[in-house]
Amino acid sequence: MSKQTKSKKITISSLLAMKKKSEKIAMVTCYDAAFAKLINNTSLDIVLVGDSMGNVVLGFEGTISVSMDHMTHHCAAVSRGLASQFLVADMPFMSYSGSLDRALQNAGRLLQEGGAHGVKLEGGKEICHTVKAIVESGIPVMGHLGLTPQKIHSLGGYKVQGRGEQAQAIEEAALALQEAGCFSIVLELVPEELAERVTKSLDIPTIGIGAGPKTDGQVLVLHDLLGFDAGFRPKFLKTYEELGERITTALQSYSADVKSMSFPSDEHSFKD
Ligand code: KIV
């Protein structure tokens, strides 16, 4: 597989142009500078500091415990490592509800302290006034419809959304988010036919996860696509590596070498 480093910075205009030219958009999550530096050597377009960091790297059960401090800290780390991808940060649970001022302050903090280029908010029509205010303050906003993990307790679990009568609400919400100023919308765990209809109805790009092949782009969680967790293989996921297994094998070899005194050898030692 060829390596491809991006030379030009990705912007919301270039993402819109990609939709117009039917060029697919590739997006991945990232939570630290080490991985961000590796992403620089790829043709990936968008990096998301997702609140999936709660379960993926912080050891929480889900995304609800993720705070503004967590997001800002990890986003700043990614930003220090990243060169040209468009960097989006999730606004965590409850950071954009209640007061518009608080939502604006929190979105601003993700750009000023976290180095993000835009923010992502979960929800439909109910968040449109917040989206509009954030966009009007000069901050690009990505929407997120379908399975919205911050509402997991209301949704009753991780299951496909938008089947039957629910479909219309998602189609209407997508148009409302575009109208409110979103530059793109993530569609998570929805039937592919619905994702295709939404994609065709919008001028802004849709990015799918578990939404079939007809969206304008795809996003996967970094650690999932790299196969960190052998026990997590949902239908929508394609794993490109088995790093969980490979890392464990490497660590066990190191431990065995230390215990058998085959490391360090002369090769790794200094002489007077
Ligand atoms: O937090 C996250 O990783 C996400 C993606 C699954 C889109 O929101």
Side-chain angles (χ1 to χ4, degrees):
M1 210 185 301
S2 67
K3 276 190 184 173
Q4 214 184 325
T5 308
K6 285 206 165 297
S7 48
K8 266 178 70 183
K9 290 227 180 241
I10 300 289
T11 63
I12 54 172
S13 314
S14 48
L15 294 168
L16 284 170
M18 286 176 79
K19 168 151 184 150
K20 282 212 177 96
K21 288 186 272 178
S22 300
E23 265 177 47
K24 292 285 181 186
I25 298 169
M27 166 165 154
V28 73
T29 68
C30 183
Y31 316 103
D32 63 35
F35 271 114
K37 285 180 188 163
L38 297 177
I39 288 172
N40 288 334
N41 301 323
T42 72
S43 60
L44 283 156
D45 303 295
I46 306 180
V47 169
L48 170 70
V49 184
D51 58 1
S52 52
M53 82 166 67
N55 41 297
V56 177
V57 297
L58 297 181
F60 295 128
E61 231 178 67
T63 63
I64 286 172
S65 310
V66 175
S67 67
M68 273 302 299
D69 285 347
H70 293 134
M71 285 304 307
T72 311
H73 180 81
H74 284 262
C75 191
V78 173
S79 159
R80 287 190 288 270
L82 206 62
S84 51
Q85 280 77 11
F86 192 79
L87 179 58
V88 179
D90 259 334
M91 292 201 69
F93 181 60
M94 298 304 282
S95 67
Y96 50 97
S97 55
S99 126
L100 211 50
D101 276 354
R102 218 171 115 252
L104 286 171
Q105 257 174 28
N106 284 331
R109 187 174 166 207
L110 288 170
L111 269 71
Q112 285 188 307
E113 288 177 46
H117 306 134
V119 297
K120 177 163 79 60
L121 276 67
E122 295 182 5
K125 288 182 180 170
E126 75 286 359
I127 61 158
C128 279
H129 67 292
T130 310
V131 168
K132 196 164 182 284
I134 297 175
V135 171
E136 277 171 2
S137 73
I139 299 174
V141 175
M142 178 179 263
H144 186 153
L145 291 169
L147 191 274
T148 45
Q150 292 175 10
K151 295 202 178 74
I152 202 63
H153 299 304
S154 315
L155 297 175
Y158 292 90
K159 49 192 178 200
V160 175
Q161 302 294 308
R163 286 195 166 122
E165 284 171 12
Q166 274 187 350
Q168 197 186 340
I170 292 183
E171 290 183 66
E172 287 174 8
L175 286 167
L177 286 170
Q178 171 172 272
E179 181 67 30
C182 281
F183 73 89
S184 173
I185 299 177
V186 166
L187 297 175
E188 180 166 358
L189 271 198
V190 297
E192 61 175 278
E193 298 81 0
L194 170 60
E196 183 178 6
R197 281 201 303 281
V198 170
T199 300
K200 282 187 174 154
S201 74
L202 298 179
D203 299 321
I204 56 172
T206 56
I207 312 286
I209 173 164
K214 299 287 175 58
T215 49
D216 298 305
Q218 298 291 328
V219 56
L220 283 176
V221 167
L222 179 67
H223 293 61
D224 294 350
L225 79 90
L226 294 177
F228 266 65
D229 182 352
F232 184 70
R233 297 297 148 101
K235 182 175 163 66
F236 66 82
L237 174 64
K238 177 171 175 186
T239 48
Y240 290 81
E241 254 297 349
E242 288 300 337
L243 279 198
E245 207 179 295
R246 289 181 58 172
I247 290 171
T248 307
T249 304
L251 293 173
Q252 178 48 30
S253 298
Y254 161 63
S255 174
D257 279 2
V258 170
K259 290 174 196 290
S260 66
M261 296 192 295
S262 53
F263 175 81
S265 62
D266 278 355
E267 190 195 341
H268 303 108
S269 306
F270 302 98
K271 304 280 184 224
D272 276 339

